[in-house]
């Protein structure tokens, strides 16, 4: 377990004025994981897939991988997939796990527990998050080039450009939600873009929808927001002063449990959203 501030060790975390509507209660924290960046729950199998950078976020060093963690925070396999380069966002479709791996989209065969293929994304610099639509087409963001690519027939093609700071991706229905710098935007199939919410204090990292139509958004610097469907935002957590990152979250939407990879603090923390 990590030795964190008194704030994080408390069982109930409330970080704004008494008028705050929602709060986070800490449930558990894992042991050491090598720079976890993204969490993707498989609730049926009771597993959290977790990308591990294990070094620099831009390192082409083969040190990265994907770990398996239980839903109660026990590390099942810290080296389930190995040989990756600073892996970040995760998404799944059927038996395939998609991993944003700097300049490639890595496709993992889940049942076999091995890499199926690596798809290069030409001109990419810093692939960051992945989302898959209802037809199984994967989309991947490149933060440094402000682009979103998609993979068709195992080949990458540009889908959107001029998306400043493109990071977190999530399909909700047929619409692709994108964290673009300090905004949450929505792109329709025809690429028509609208702003869902804005005004985050730092650039957004991860987004997950709640069952009531609202969202949870993280900023890597150490901020977690509750975002209402009408665009209002509420700060849930601010750990910037403790140097605790809040990277690309996962969620159990039925139980309102969110899983936060702490990046440089080398753990995952589970919170109950109240």
């Amino acid at each position: 377990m990590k030795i964190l501030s008194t704030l994080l060790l408390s069982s109930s975390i409330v970080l704004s004025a008494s008028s705050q509507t929602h709060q986070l209660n800490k449930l558990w924290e894992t042991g050491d994981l090598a720079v976890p960046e993204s969490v993707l729950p498989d609730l049926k199998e009771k597993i959290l897939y977790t990308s591990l950078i294990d070094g620099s976020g831009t390192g082409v060093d083969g040190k990265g991988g994907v770990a398996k963690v239980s839903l109660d925070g026990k590390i099942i396999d810290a080296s389930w997939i190995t040989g990756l380069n600073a892996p970040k966002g995760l998404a799944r479709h059927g038996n395939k796990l998609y991993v944003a791996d700097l300049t490639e989209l890595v496709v993992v065969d889940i049942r076999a527990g091995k890499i199926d293929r690596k798809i290069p994304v030409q001109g990419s610099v810093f692939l960051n998050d992945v989302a898959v639509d209802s037809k199984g087409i994967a989309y991947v963001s490149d933060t440094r080039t402000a682009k979103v690519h998609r993979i068709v027939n195992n080949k990458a093609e540009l889908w959107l450009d001029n998306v400043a700071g493109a990071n977190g991706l999530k399909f909700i229905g047929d619409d692709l939600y994108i964290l673009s710098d300090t905004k949450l935007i929505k792109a329709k199939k025809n690429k028509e873009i609208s702003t869902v919410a804005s005004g985050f204090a730092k650039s957004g990292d991860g987004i997950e929808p709640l069952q009531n139509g609202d969202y949870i958004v993280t900023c890597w610097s150490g901020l977690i927001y509750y975002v209402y469907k009408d665009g209002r935002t509420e700060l849930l957590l601010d750990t910037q002063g403790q140097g605790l990152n809040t990277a690309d979250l996962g969620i159990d939407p039925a139980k309102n449990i969110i899983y936060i990879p702490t990046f440089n603090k080398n753990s995952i923390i589970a919170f109950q959203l109240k």
Side-chain angles (χ1 to χ4, degrees):
M1 295 294 181
K2 299 295 169 193
I3 300 175
L4 300 177
S5 66
T6 302
L7 179 68
L8 280 177
L9 288 174
S10 66
S11 61
S12 180
I13 299 177
V14 183
L15 289 171
S16 63
S18 59
S19 61
Q20 178 172 323
T21 304
H22 302 89
Q23 67 185 60
L24 295 175
N25 294 341
K26 182 179 174 182
L27 299 176
W28 50 255
E29 184 173 3
T30 65
D32 279 348
L33 290 165
V35 193
E37 200 280 337
S38 182
V39 176
L40 180 68
D42 181 338
L43 299 174
K44 182 178 179 180
E45 297 297 328
K46 299 181 180 180
I47 289 172
L48 303 174
Y49 295 104
T50 305
S51 60
L52 303 180
I53 292 176
D54 195 8
S56 166
T58 58
V60 185
D61 51 22
K63 293 170 61 179
V66 180
K68 287 183 177 181
V69 176
S70 70
L71 294 184
D72 60 358
K74 305 295 190 303
I75 298 173
I76 298 170
D77 189 347
S79 55
W80 178 60
I81 299 295
T82 59
L84 303 182
N85 300 312
K88 298 177 181 69
L90 303 171
R92 179 179 181 175
H93 185 78
N95 185 48
K96 303 298 183 185
L97 180 71
Y98 296 88
V99 188
D101 199 41
L102 211 56
T103 60
E104 298 176 314
L105 185 66
V106 175
V107 184
V108 174
D109 184 313
I110 293 174
R111 293 192 185 93
K114 65 180 183 179
I115 295 171
D116 181 70
R117 64 176 65 90
K118 296 183 178 182
I119 302 169
V121 180
Q122 187 174 3
S124 62
V125 176
F126 195 84
L127 298 181
N128 209 333
D129 201 13
V130 191
V132 182
D133 69 13
S134 59
K135 296 180 180 179
I137 297 175
Y139 293 68
V140 59
S141 60
D142 187 343
T143 305
R144 301 286 171 85
T145 64
K147 295 176 180 178
V148 177
H149 302 269
R150 69 177 179 182
I151 310 302
V152 179
N153 296 324
N154 294 321
K155 292 184 178 181
E157 63 181 32
L158 177 64
W159 191 69
L160 275 182
D161 59 6
N162 299 315
V163 183
N167 193 340
L169 302 178
K170 191 72 179 183
F171 269 99
I172 303 175
D174 290 330
D175 299 328
L176 180 59
Y177 286 69
I178 307 169
L179 283 166
S180 173
D181 282 346
T182 58
K183 297 190 298 183
L184 173 60
I185 64 176
K186 177 174 69 174
K188 293 184 174 294
K189 274 186 173 181
N190 63 4
K191 304 183 185 180
E192 177 187 338
I193 294 176
S194 59
T195 297
V196 178
S198 61
F200 304 124
K202 298 291 178 65
S203 294
D205 194 326
I207 172 179
E208 288 292 340
L210 297 168
Q211 288 187 328
N212 64 1
D214 297 337
Y215 320 91
I216 301 294
V217 166
T218 57
C219 301
W220 179 88
S221 61
L223 301 170
I224 303 177
Y225 286 91
Y226 190 100
V227 180
Y228 294 87
K229 66 186 77 173
D230 63 8
R232 289 176 295 133
T233 63
E234 177 184 321
L235 182 62
L236 290 175
L237 185 67
D238 183 349
T239 58
Q240 295 175 105
Q242 292 82 47
L244 179 72
N245 303 119
T246 50
D248 187 9
L249 77 159
I251 193 169
D252 179 340
K255 295 181 178 179
N256 278 346
I257 297 174
I258 65 173
Y259 305 97
I260 301 292
T262 66
F263 205 85
N264 288 319
K265 290 296 184 181
N266 298 314
S267 69
I268 295 169
I269 300 177
F271 293 100
Q272 178 76 61
L273 173 67
K274 296 290 187 180

